[in-house]
Amino acid sequence: MMGHRSAEARVKAWGKREFVKRMQEWGKLGGRPVGSGKKQTKKGGK
């Protein structure tokens, strides 16, 4: 119950888009944060 009220307060303060962005960055929502799918290149590998 308290978590639900806390989430509602954050959505009201930040807006829906910012809430989703921050919660994904903090690992609190499903999905991955923006930019997490970028491939890292290996140097000198075959």
Side-chain angles (χ1 to χ4, degrees), residues 1-8:
M1 182 80 166
M2 291 297 290
H4 184 72
R5 291 176 69 190
S6 177
E8 285 180 355

Side-chain angles (χ1 to χ4, degrees), residues 26-39:
W26 297 339
K28 302 293 183 185
L29 282 180
R32 296 176 182 223
V34 176
S36 66
K38 294 179 182 174
K39 292 186 176 181

Side-chain angles (χ1 to χ4, degrees), residues 1-2 7 12 15 19 22 28 31 36 40-41 44-46:
M1 182 80 166
M2 291 297 290
K12 191 173 185 180
F19 173 79
R22 289 185 189 195
K28 302 293 183 185
S36 66
Q40 296 177 357
T41 59
K46 288 187 177 181

